[in-house]
Amino acid sequence: MTRLTGTALRVTVFVGENDTWHHKPLFSEIVHRAHKAGLAGASVFRGIEGYGATALIHTSRLLSLSEDLPVAIVIVDTEERVRAFLPELDELVSQGLVILDDCEVIRYVGRDAREGV
């Protein structure tokens, strides 16, 4: 059972839904690398509208031509483990935004693999 409480570091990566790494979705590559690195967890959130450095607004509204919606990948773990993972993000994210926030984990208890989904 995984437990993480107390002071932690949150890294949030903002990229486009259509961004890729070797023909694979970039957000998926980031999640898989975070998992391989043993980080406590990672989640991907799909935005419904946003813009970044290009100032081009991407939206999910029906009449919009844009399908490259914003995606946020959020990873939380100890500061040491998150900072050790930053070189991976430096390699993967050529366009986007990576931010770090101090945070406090109140409760994080992983499910025992034997319990099922």
Side-chain angles (χ1 to χ4, degrees):
M1 190 177 307
T2 303
R3 293 183 187 273
L4 174 67
T5 57
T7 303
L9 197 60
R10 173 179 53 206
V11 59
T12 306
V13 182
F14 295 94
V15 295
E17 182 178 37
N18 293 337
D19 292 348
T20 60
W21 176 261
H22 298 288
H23 310 291
K24 180 178 178 182
L26 178 59
F27 61 84
S28 181
E29 182 67 18
I30 292 170
V31 168
H32 282 87
R33 287 197 188 191
H35 184 260
K36 184 177 176 182
L39 295 173
S43 297
V44 178
F45 300 94
R46 184 178 190 224
I48 58 172
E49 189 166 50
Y51 71 93
T54 64
L56 178 65
I57 294 180
H58 301 273
T59 181
S60 64
R61 285 182 278 162
L62 197 56
L63 298 177
S64 173
L65 298 176
S66 173
E67 294 179 5
D68 188 21
L69 295 172
V71 173
I73 304 102
V74 179
I75 302 167
V76 176
D77 207 319
T78 64
E79 180 173 359
E80 179 182 4
R81 294 171 69 88
V82 168
R83 289 198 182 277
F85 186 67
L86 293 180
E88 297 268 358
L89 294 177
D90 192 43
E91 175 189 352
L92 293 170
V93 181
S94 60
Q95 293 181 351
L97 175 66
V98 178
I99 61 172
L100 294 173
D101 297 298
D102 292 322
C103 62
E104 183 177 354
V105 176
I106 303 302
R107 177 171 170 78
Y108 174 71
V109 181
R111 184 184 335 202
D112 189 325
R114 292 172 286 170
E115 292 178 24
V117 178

